[in-house]
Amino acid sequence: QVQLVESGGGLVQAGGSLRLSCAASGRTFSSYAMGWFRQAPGKEREFVAAIRRSGSNTYYADSVKGRFTISRDNAKNTVYLQMNSLKPEDTAVYYCASKNPIGNIATMKGYDYWGQGTQVTVSS
């Protein structure tokens, strides 16, 4: 049974920072790419960032490029999302996901396991 558990969300003022963590179990963590998605109220879930198995390649949505950094520690079975210069429009529930072997890394269909999400709220 694959489990993904996010943590680190909270309330922060605009311009502040948060670091999200996602602890994985039930699957060989280092064998799969990982991603972060977010869903704001009334909006569809959208891609935020992804990282390949070894961490050698990372991908970002244009809206977060230069502000967010995805990383992973395969020894700890954990993926991180460092979020700096946060904006009110970053407010959303953030989900981590484990990629399937064949799907597109920047789409929901590319992932087959999801965490329960962690709320990030950025006040203006």
Side-chain angles (χ1 to χ4, degrees):
Q1 182 78 7
V2 177
Q3 283 194 318
L4 302 173
V5 181
E6 301 98 334
S7 62
L11 173 64
V12 64
Q13 288 189 332
S17 299
L18 283 174
R19 187 174 86 151
L20 306 183
S21 300
C22 173
S25 61
R27 186 182 238 191
T28 304
F29 182 74
S30 59
S31 296
Y32 298 89
M34 298 292 294
W36 285 96
F37 289 73
R38 67 186 181 186
Q39 187 167 17
K43 295 187 176 182
E44 293 186 351
R45 195 171 298 188
E46 63 176 4
F47 171 76
V48 175
I51 187 166
R52 293 290 185 189
R53 292 176 294 176
S54 66
S56 56
N57 294 90
T58 56
Y59 308 85
Y60 297 94
D62 287 343
S63 58
V64 307
K65 205 171 291 183
R67 299 187 298 122
F68 290 11
T69 302
I70 188 171
S71 62
R72 65 190 297 160
D73 185 336
N74 286 342
K76 295 183 177 180
N77 290 354
T78 301
V79 62
Y80 304 97
L81 186 68
Q82 178 67 44
M83 306 186 295
N84 299 329
S85 302
L86 282 161
K87 305 175 181 179
E89 51 263 44
D90 295 318
T91 295
V93 177
Y94 283 71
Y95 300 88
C96 74
S98 180
K99 192 181 174 305
N100 63 51
I102 60 173
N104 186 304
I105 201 167
T107 68
M108 288 182 60
K109 288 185 179 180
Y111 297 81
D112 48 10
Y113 293 99
W114 296 81
Q116 83 288 348
T118 185
Q119 177 71 47
V120 171
T121 304
V122 184
S123 63
S124 57

